Amino acid sequence: MSLKRREFLELAAATAAMSMVGLRAARAQSADVIRVGIAATGPRTSDPNQTTQGGDNWATEQMYEQLVRPEDGTFATTPDQYVPTLATEWTTSPDAKTWTFKLRQGVQFHKGYGEMTSDDVVFSFKRAIKEGTNTTILSNIADVVAKGPYEVDIQLKTPDVNLLGTSIFCNNTSIVSKKAFDKIGAEKFATDAVGTGPYELTRFDNQWGVAMKRHEGYWDTKNKAKIASAECVYIADTTARTLALLSGDVDMIEAVRAPGWVDSMLQRDSTLKFDMTAPGSFNTLHVNLNRKPFDNLKVRQAIMYAVDRHAVADALKPMGGFTAGLQPDFFPAGFKTEDLPPELQYNYDPDKAKALLAEAGFPNGFDFDSNCSQREDYSSIMLIVQEQLRAVGMRMNLHIGDHTAYHADNHMDKNTLALHSSSYPPIPTQLYFQQLSTKSEVKADGKGGINYSHYGVAMPGIDGLLDKALQSTDFKSYVDYCKQIELQVLRDLPLIGMSTLSFTVARNARVNLGYDVKSGYARWRFHRATKTA
Amino acid sequence: MGRYLFLRLVDAIPTIWLVLTLVFIAMRILPGDPAIAALGDTALPEQLAQFRAKMGLDVPLWHQYLNFLYGVVTFNLGTSYMNGASVLDLIGRNLPYTIELTAVAMIMGVGAGVPIGVMAATNRDKLPDNGVRAFSLFGHAVPDFYLGALLLIIFALNLRWFPINGAGNGFADRMYHVFLPALTLAMVKAAFIGRLTRASLLEVLGKDYVRTARAKGAREPRVIYCHGLRNALLPLSTGMGLSLLATFSGSVAIELVFNRPGIGRLLIQAINERDYGVIQGGVIVFAIVVVLINLMMDLLYIVIDPRIRVK
């Protein structure tokens, strides 16, 4: 058959057009895949013992499990709220230093790597303790010992009544297969780790993302994943991510945590659903006690009365949340405003702020410099703070700059009022240790921690109370000491709980997660999710 | 010719060295700590120190610089601070996407730019000419990232003709994915090349030999394409070379807007994360591309105009 040039061109054009149609059809949303758009450029690792980037935890959350977990969509605020997962039961010694876990039998690893046993648990913990990315919190673990194939002892250096929250339900101590690690090697394990979760890894592409398929041998037959595949697609650019959701390319995206974002999204598509954790991240304002006049308690109290913290939280609505102290009121050490002594309630009162400034020797206020990150959540909060402080005479010259540079400068003690955003579970001592203890004091050479206020050094701090909390052998004493820390911090004001900011996901209404997201880390599981085409 | 090529490549070495040295210094002057960027701002001092030691960031700057130069000459650009992947491997995986985008954009840009330039020149001061000039003005004025977002909203989001992000798999899927980002870059290129073609052709069409050709009875298409356009190619080729460079560097913004893999996106990510090895590797690629494109243009001159001889 002969083909003239024109016929050939027409045929080629038709073939190309047909292939495009085919591609479009293939791309159309299927009910068999749930796809989330992650706010980062690419995955770094699929090895849960080694993750450093929050976005990677969306995939690890589906592929791996810990010995215990809270109910989906929540944080366990007390130890009794954890539910058995890879462990079926656990006991604690009276001194809270030895924890014994009985392992679930018959749990299968992905890809035919066999049954999970205590060897895998010991291996996962020891690797996380020795070379993981959360070594400090896990450094309290003295040893992890197998007591037979289905029982493990975790021995601690000092008591920890919160071990389930601090170390067991922790991404870095997810259980991975020792057999797989030994077989495929450390390097490949970073992109092909093997777990027990409801989904198993099928593709790791550090340009695109992570693809997973349902783990058919999942131990919890009632909660076997309903949707056949899950994909974490990395889309760093905000516009591209938003368009991907609106076009249906992805089912859900990590939100931009900026004022007005949720409203603007609803204007584009009123059917969108928003899942939000409370509290999300804690936005704390460090007052540098080594910078005058912030060494003066009256000046710090003036800040508390000058800044309307409810207004800050409202400005970030619906993602913003108010905290009377440092912890939200539903966390174990949290207070409601009305439960605080009147002098520590610090209700918004600019006149009182002015009076305190006058008493401190600044009747006309003062000028000072402060640095801030350009990231939306940081800059939004600090611009509000700037306006409110200006109203009482504290004129803050705000230098807004690159996020990475901002944190590097803070680490070298170059700031005055340093806003910091961190995520914490309901384990209050983690925030106190990192942001208030003497051991975490910031150093000018950058070798210190993130106690940017120099609390405990520039003035007596909470080290003694923190030690007592950490030595507690019962949960009630632990909480009591933490509440005392909250009150002392409100008296001394080295650190101000400015607001919380929910981790938020915008979701297509066709996807039903199967549970409500109320609290928890910035990742949620897909195994109960269903989707209509 | 071989000797000429070799000497030109040797000449490029000091340029590349200078660029690399400047980038090395700039990255160290830029505030920000790679260790904090990699481990997070709540990382503890001992974790940060351990990271710096592992990545060779705890040795004096001159030592880091020598390590870096040694790495370049031994083709070992180190590993990414963020995921431990080899920098060469990362570049190797990303570069094809950028080349693909640049090539398709250039084909579309030149393919549209030259004909509209010819059309404008041969219809001087008439409607087609005014139209081309208006399009050219638009192409010069509109930033490519804005145009990209606009095309994305119209053709991908509203009409759903094209995908929103990614690069696709397999030839047809990749062409499908690259079309819209390439079109964004190509529209700007077509405007530039169209205007250049018009100006260059108008100049040539006024020459004596064109008048002579017409006087000898040559048909108008032959006058335009054989006598006119061929002689207008030399200045046009310079413009195309510049355009190719601009397209390659313009891919940075477009890769971000369309969420495509590529050297530009890799570089932006690395700068945000202070991932020195990847930044340096990315800059080497850009420096080499600039040198090669310049060299290619010089060789093209020789092909287009045999009167230019290699000395």
Side-chain angles (χ1 to χ4, degrees):
Chain A
M1 187 181 83
S2 67
L3 201 64
K4 290 178 182 168
R5 191 179 64 160
R6 182 174 293 278
E7 286 168 348
F8 171 77
L9 288 173
E10 284 170 0
L11 189 63
T15 309
M18 288 303 287
S19 69
M20 296 297 177
V21 171
L23 287 167
R24 279 196 67 196
R27 201 165 299 284
Q29 282 290 288
S30 151
D32 283 342
V33 58
I34 182 167
R35 197 176 286 145
V36 57
I38 307 287
T41 319
R44 292 182 191 166
T45 180
S46 68
D47 180 348
N49 301 155
Q50 304 290 323
T51 53
T52 54
Q53 177 175 251
D56 290 352
N57 296 335
W58 277 94
T60 58
E61 184 75 4
Q62 320 305 327
M63 297 188 284
Y64 307 95
E65 291 173 308
Q66 299 81 7
L67 299 181
V68 302
R69 292 183 58 87
E71 292 286 358
D72 287 330
T74 66
F75 262 139
T77 53
T78 55
D80 58 301
Q81 291 177 2
Y82 286 96
V83 294
T85 310
L86 296 181
T88 51
E89 54 187 285
W90 49 93
T91 53
T92 318
S93 64
D95 63 0
K97 285 172 73 173
T98 301
W99 290 66
T100 303
F101 292 87
K102 285 196 175 161
L103 303 183
R104 188 178 299 279
Q105 297 187 26
V107 174
Q108 295 296 317
F109 279 112
H110 304 152
K111 303 178 184 177
Y113 278 98
E115 189 185 11
M116 177 205 69
T117 66
S118 49
D119 281 350
D120 300 296
V121 176
V122 172
F123 167 77
S124 303
F125 269 87
K126 287 197 166 174
R127 192 158 159 264
I129 292 163
K130 190 181 167 199
E131 59 191 45
T133 47
N134 203 6
T135 51
T136 310
I137 285 173
L138 301 177
S139 65
N140 189 35
I141 299 178
D143 205 0
V144 184
V145 183
K147 290 172 68 186
Y150 301 110
E151 192 167 313
V152 172
D153 263 1
I154 295 184
Q155 294 156 1
L156 307 180
K157 294 171 188 166
T158 59
D160 185 357
V161 293
N162 258 329
L163 185 80
L164 300 182
T166 58
S167 311
I168 306 299
F169 177 58
C170 169
N171 195 51
N172 295 108
T173 51
S174 298
I175 308 305
V176 297
S177 164
K178 180 178 184 302
K179 196 171 157 191
F181 182 87
D182 290 343
K183 187 179 175 192
I184 68 177
E187 193 181 339
K188 197 163 184 299
F189 208 61
T191 56
D192 195 17
V194 173
T196 63
Y199 284 97
E200 68 178 57
L201 183 68
T202 54
R203 180 184 168 204
F204 183 95
D205 179 340
N206 62 14
Q207 303 303 314
W208 171 80
V210 178
M212 297 158 278
K213 69 172 184 182
R214 179 168 45 221
H215 176 28
E216 297 296 349
Y218 187 53
W219 60 269
D220 186 355
T221 45
K222 281 184 198 164
N223 282 309
K224 210 166 164 177
K226 293 182 172 62
I227 297 177
S229 309
E231 293 178 357
C232 298
V233 185
Y234 282 67
I235 312 175
D237 183 74
T238 311
T239 310
R241 206 163 66 248
T242 306
L243 294 178
L245 176 70
L246 295 173
S247 69
D249 256 24
V250 297
D251 300 299
M252 44 208 277
I253 58 167
E254 288 189 304
V256 179
R257 298 195 297 156
W261 189 83
V262 170
D263 289 338
S264 72
M265 289 296 286
L266 282 172
Q267 279 173 4
R268 293 179 203 198
D269 183 350
S270 60
T271 65
L272 288 176
K273 305 286 180 199
F274 292 87
D275 303 311
M276 293 182 203
T277 64
S281 52
F282 292 64
N283 294 296
T284 47
L285 187 69
H286 294 250
V287 185
N288 194 331
L289 300 168
N290 282 350
R291 298 278 161 88
K292 286 190 178 299
F294 299 104
D295 56 339
N296 187 327
L297 177 61
K298 288 188 189 303
V299 172
R300 300 198 297 277
Q301 288 172 334
I303 294 174
M304 283 300 269
Y305 285 113
V307 177
D308 183 352
R309 290 174 296 140
H310 281 288
V312 173
D314 286 349
L316 299 167
K317 267 190 171 178
M319 300 186 229
F322 173 80
T323 57
L326 296 173
Q327 307 284 332
D329 57 20
F330 68 95
F331 271 26
F335 283 96
K336 286 187 165 65
T337 301
E338 57 270 27
D339 294 336
L340 287 167
E343 73 278 12
L344 300 183
Q345 292 184 357
Y346 299 108
N347 292 314
Y348 175 56
D349 189 345
D351 291 334
K352 194 162 183 176
K354 283 181 191 165
L356 280 162
L357 279 183
E359 281 179 43
F362 300 99
N364 300 317
F366 59 87
D367 295 80
F368 68 101
D369 292 321
S370 193
N371 300 330
C372 176
S373 162
Q374 65 184 1
R375 209 173 80 180
E376 298 95 341
D377 48 346
Y378 280 78
S379 53
S380 305
I381 292 172
M382 283 307 277
L383 286 166
I384 297 168
V385 169
Q386 182 189 39
E387 279 310 305
Q388 297 192 334
L389 290 182
R390 192 200 310 275
V392 300
M394 286 187 267
R395 295 171 292 275
M396 175 164 66
N397 304 311
L398 201 55
H399 304 282
I400 298 179
D402 174 80
H403 186 70
T404 310
Y406 168 74
H407 281 297
D409 281 351
N410 282 349
H411 267 264
M412 298 176 87
D413 196 19
K414 289 183 180 171
N415 213 346
T416 309
L417 294 184
L419 188 72
H420 190 85
S421 170
S422 301
S423 163
Y424 294 102
I427 313 293
T429 43
Q430 289 187 0
L431 187 153
Y432 304 149
F433 178 80
Q434 285 195 329
Q435 303 199 26
L436 291 164
S437 76
T438 306
K439 284 178 187 162
S440 300
E441 188 200 8
V442 65
K443 299 272 167 51
D445 61 3
K447 292 181 178 167
I450 59 167
N451 173 0
Y452 300 134
S453 61
H454 301 271
Y455 191 45
V457 181
M459 66 183 288
I462 47 83
D463 291 343
L465 283 169
L466 182 58
D467 280 345
K468 286 179 182 168
L470 292 170
Q471 294 292 333
S472 302
T473 54
D474 67 282
F475 191 67
K476 186 180 175 305
S477 311
Y478 172 86
V479 173
D480 286 345
Y481 286 122
C482 289
K483 288 200 166 213
Q484 288 180 49
I485 291 174
E486 287 284 314
L487 293 174
Q488 186 170 331
V489 172
L490 282 170
R491 278 193 294 271
D492 294 340
L493 298 174
L495 186 64
I496 297 168
M498 198 48 76
S499 78
T500 60
L501 190 61
S502 302
F503 288 111
T504 304
V505 160
R507 172 167 52 89
N508 191 310
R510 287 178 296 148
V511 171
N512 180 345
L513 284 178
Y515 58 91
D516 291 332
V517 174
K518 296 171 190 161
S519 185
Y521 288 110
R523 53 187 188 261
W524 21 106
R525 293 179 110 190
F526 298 150
H527 64 143
R528 292 188 192 172
T530 52
K531 184 177 167 188
T532 52
Chain B
M1 180 70 99
R3 185 179 151 77
Y4 170 76
L5 270 176
F6 176 74
L7 289 176
R8 283 295 308 269
L9 289 173
V10 170
D11 274 353
I13 291 173
T15 311
I16 292 174
W17 169 76
L18 189 66
V19 170
L20 292 183
T21 304
L22 288 174
V23 169
F24 180 88
I25 294 167
M27 286 318 300
R28 268 66 182 181
I29 291 172
L30 195 67
D33 184 340
I36 297 173
L39 299 183
D41 42 45
T42 49
L44 292 157
E46 53 268 35
Q47 290 172 290
L48 295 172
Q50 199 179 4
F51 178 88
R52 290 185 191 113
K54 187 178 164 191
M55 293 298 171
L57 291 164
D58 57 344
V59 298
L61 267 185
W62 65 266
H63 196 163
Q64 289 183 41
Y65 179 64
L66 290 181
N67 284 345
F68 163 55
L69 288 185
Y70 180 73
V72 172
V73 296
T74 55
F75 297 102
N76 177 8
L77 298 178
T79 55
S80 160
Y81 298 158
M82 295 301 145
N83 55 21
S86 148
V87 171
L88 271 181
D89 187 40
L90 282 175
I91 290 170
R93 272 187 282 142
N94 279 279
L95 189 57
Y97 292 107
T98 306
I99 291 174
E100 177 185 277
L101 174 61
T102 307
V104 176
M106 278 307 288
I107 290 168
M108 290 164 81
V110 174
V114 172
I116 64 170
V118 172
M119 186 175 72
T122 52
N123 293 280
R124 191 175 184 178
D125 295 330
K126 292 180 187 164
L127 187 64
D129 187 25
N130 292 336
V132 169
R133 278 193 286 176
F135 171 69
S136 179
L137 196 65
F138 169 77
H140 277 94
V142 68
D144 49 12
F145 63 86
Y146 176 76
L147 186 62
L150 207 63
L151 294 181
L152 201 60
I153 289 168
I154 296 170
F155 294 106
L157 183 63
N158 293 335
L159 296 173
R160 310 236 169 154
W161 290 356
F162 294 99
I164 288 278
N165 58 60
N169 295 304
F171 180 75
D173 196 26
R174 283 178 72 148
M175 288 302 109
Y176 177 46
H177 277 78
V178 82
F179 184 82
L180 212 52
L183 180 68
T184 307
L185 287 169
M187 280 177 77
V188 179
K189 298 310 133 203
F192 173 68
I193 290 169
R195 193 174 178 86
L196 203 66
T197 306
R198 176 188 179 275
S200 189
L201 193 58
L202 278 176
E203 190 182 332
V204 170
L205 290 179
K207 298 276 185 191
D208 289 344
Y209 57 81
V210 173
R211 200 177 307 126
T212 307
R214 282 192 176 119
K216 284 170 71 179
R219 288 169 59 197
E220 194 59 15
R222 184 173 170 79
V223 172
I224 302 291
Y225 290 104
C226 297
H227 296 275
L229 193 58
R230 186 166 182 173
N231 285 296
L233 273 180
L234 199 59
L236 198 56
S237 66
T238 310
M240 285 186 195
L242 293 173
S243 193
L244 182 58
L245 281 175
T247 309
F248 192 80
S249 53
S251 64
V252 173
I254 295 306
E255 283 167 3
L256 279 179
V257 171
F258 286 88
N259 195 44
R260 273 179 65 82
I263 288 289
R265 201 178 72 148
L266 184 73
L267 203 52
I268 295 292
Q269 177 193 5
I271 290 168
N272 286 335
E273 293 169 338
R274 305 297 191 268
D275 199 343
Y276 295 160
V278 178
I279 297 168
Q280 286 155 182
V283 170
I284 291 174
V285 169
F286 273 93
I288 289 174
V289 165
V290 170
V291 167
L292 287 181
I293 290 177
N294 277 316
L295 184 58
M296 200 174 75
M297 296 321 301
D298 288 350
L299 295 178
L300 198 60
Y301 287 165
I302 299 166
V303 175
I304 293 171
D305 188 349
R307 288 170 301 180
I308 302 170
R309 291 281 175 265
V310 177
K311 289 178 184 169

